[in-house]
Amino acid sequence: MVKVGVVGYGVIGQRLADGVALQEDMELVGVADVSPTLAVRALKEKGMPYDLYIAVPENKELFDKAGIPVSGTLEDLVQKVDVILDATSAGVGARNKELYKKYNKKAIFQGGEKNDVADVFFHGYANYEKGLGKQFLKLTSCNTTGLIRAVDCLDREVGIEKVAITIIRRVADPGDYHRGLTNALQVDKAPNHQAVDLMTIMPHVDATGILVHTPVTHGHIITVVATPKREIGKEEVLKYFNQHPRIRVVRLADGFLGNASLFRYARDLGNPRGDMYEIAVFEETIVNSGKDIMFAINIPQEAVVIPENMDAIRAAMEMQTDRLEAVALTNKYLGMGKWMEK
């Protein structure tokens, strides 16, 4: 049983903790955070299902005043685990790395950290083998994670030469107050980092793209124009996507009109927090343009990276050396692909 700790109990950290708790071959030792945030207060109100550790010992009085029990410090947590999932704010993970090195622990960092924080820039489906036994892995961002899932799916079947993407990006997570746009869209310069990151993971694919920030919070939409190595049509693309446990094919005709429809559907399914681990491909957007194939996907940014984090633990700890065996176990324990059985 691999022992796991989660550092940073925010938007991603909460979901990482839940994801680890679902893995039957992993044990969640505890979570760490710096202050009694709303997420930590909710943890207390739920009966403290996870042990809590203080990342900044000087803040112990704040936890005491809030009546939140703690099990020790971040350093205590690190000593008790085999691997850390670091879900702290960008830059904090790089500082925490020194602590992980001190105790010779493995750690997995999130997309906000710089690539040089880790030995391997990791994606469960696309380059699992490169993460085997490594001490430090870094995950791709939410958009890049979902994008690579779709491109890798087609690349393994028919080969992909290049992709051109447009990301319609949510501006902030639900509940965030620190930034926002009103009646405005904002365009970033090309190429966006997701295209560059895709090429880092899949160097044989030529990728470029544009990103547009939008004043919404529930999910990103990415349009992809992919050039396959041989001509493929909509039905063949649908066949490959329908076989992938982390890709859900949805139809506009059934009421899946966009990001909000998918978020509402996740809530109607009873998913905690309205989370969806899978990306969605809108069936009616799959079209040919000459040799190219075009389609649009939805990225549920709060939860989409959780499966790949579980894959990263499996690779770093060499729990499974076979890529497909590893991702299949992650999918099974997270309950992914259930819609394929209906």
Side-chain angles (χ1 to χ4, degrees), residues 39-303:
V40 171
R41 291 172 186 272
L43 186 69
K44 178 206 171 187
E45 193 165 331
K46 289 190 291 186
M48 296 300 294
Y50 310 138
D51 288 344
L52 178 67
Y53 293 77
I54 303 177
V56 179
E58 293 79 9
N59 288 348
K60 176 69 161 57
E61 185 179 348
L62 297 177
F63 290 87
D64 292 341
K65 286 183 177 179
I68 299 171
V70 298
S71 300
T73 65
L74 170 58
E75 191 159 2
D76 295 328
L77 176 62
V78 171
Q79 294 177 73
K80 293 179 181 179
V81 303
D82 301 308
V83 58
I84 285 286
L85 293 175
D86 191 298
T88 55
S89 301
V92 177
R95 296 195 294 273
N96 288 343
K97 180 180 176 180
E98 296 306 310
L99 181 62
Y100 309 149
K101 288 169 65 177
K102 175 181 176 181
Y103 292 102
N104 194 29
K105 301 295 183 175
K106 298 193 175 186
I108 294 153
F109 302 94
Q110 304 308 301
E113 292 295 332
K114 294 181 179 179
N115 290 356
D116 61 9
V117 76
D119 305 312
V120 175
F121 197 20
F122 182 84
H123 188 281
Y125 271 82
N127 68 347
Y128 181 85
E129 295 82 2
K130 289 188 176 181
L132 289 172
K134 295 297 191 295
Q135 183 174 6
F136 299 118
L137 278 62
K138 199 205 90 157
L139 274 289
T140 54
S141 69
C142 54
N143 271 316
T144 311
T145 297
L147 174 65
I148 289 177
R149 278 187 204 169
V151 175
D152 176 74
C153 175
L154 298 180
D155 183 54
R156 290 182 182 274
E157 297 291 346
V158 300
I160 296 296
E161 294 179 355
K162 63 185 179 72
V163 294
I165 65 175
T166 300
I167 300 180
I168 301 97
R169 183 187 188 278
R170 68 95 181 93
V171 72
D173 287 324
D176 280 353
Y177 288 88
H178 64 284
R179 57 178 170 172
L181 301 173
T182 303
N183 195 31
L185 302 178
Q186 180 179 325
V187 180
D188 279 1
K189 65 180 181 180
N192 54 313
H193 83 79
Q194 292 85 357
V196 175
D197 288 348
L198 182 146
M199 288 189 288
T200 304
I201 297 284
M202 305 176 67
H204 58 285
V205 175
D206 182 18
T208 191
I210 294 172
L211 185 146
V212 181
H213 298 272
T214 57
V216 298
T217 60
H218 292 305
H220 315 279
I221 300 289
I222 305 180
T223 65
V224 182
V225 180
T227 304
K229 292 184 177 179
R230 66 170 174 81
E231 192 167 339
I232 54 175
K234 178 174 181 175
E235 293 308 312
E236 188 174 359
V237 171
L238 274 173
K239 181 179 76 170
Y240 300 140
F241 283 156
N242 276 316
Q243 293 170 349
H244 200 299
R246 297 186 189 176
I247 300 175
R248 178 192 287 262
V249 177
V250 299
R251 300 176 69 242
L252 301 174
D254 292 335
F256 291 99
L257 304 181
N259 61 330
S261 303
L262 285 154
F263 181 73
R264 177 177 177 178
Y265 193 66
R267 288 187 296 178
D268 290 343
L269 287 173
N271 294 357
R273 307 184 187 90
D275 285 346
M276 296 186 81
Y277 295 131
E278 66 272 15
I279 64 171
V281 175
F282 298 94
E283 181 176 324
E284 292 93 333
T285 67
I286 303 173
V287 293
N288 283 100
S289 176
K291 182 184 176 183
D292 296 341
I293 191 81
M294 182 177 183
F295 54 91
I297 58 179
N298 180 80
I299 308 290
Q301 82 279 357
E302 296 174 294

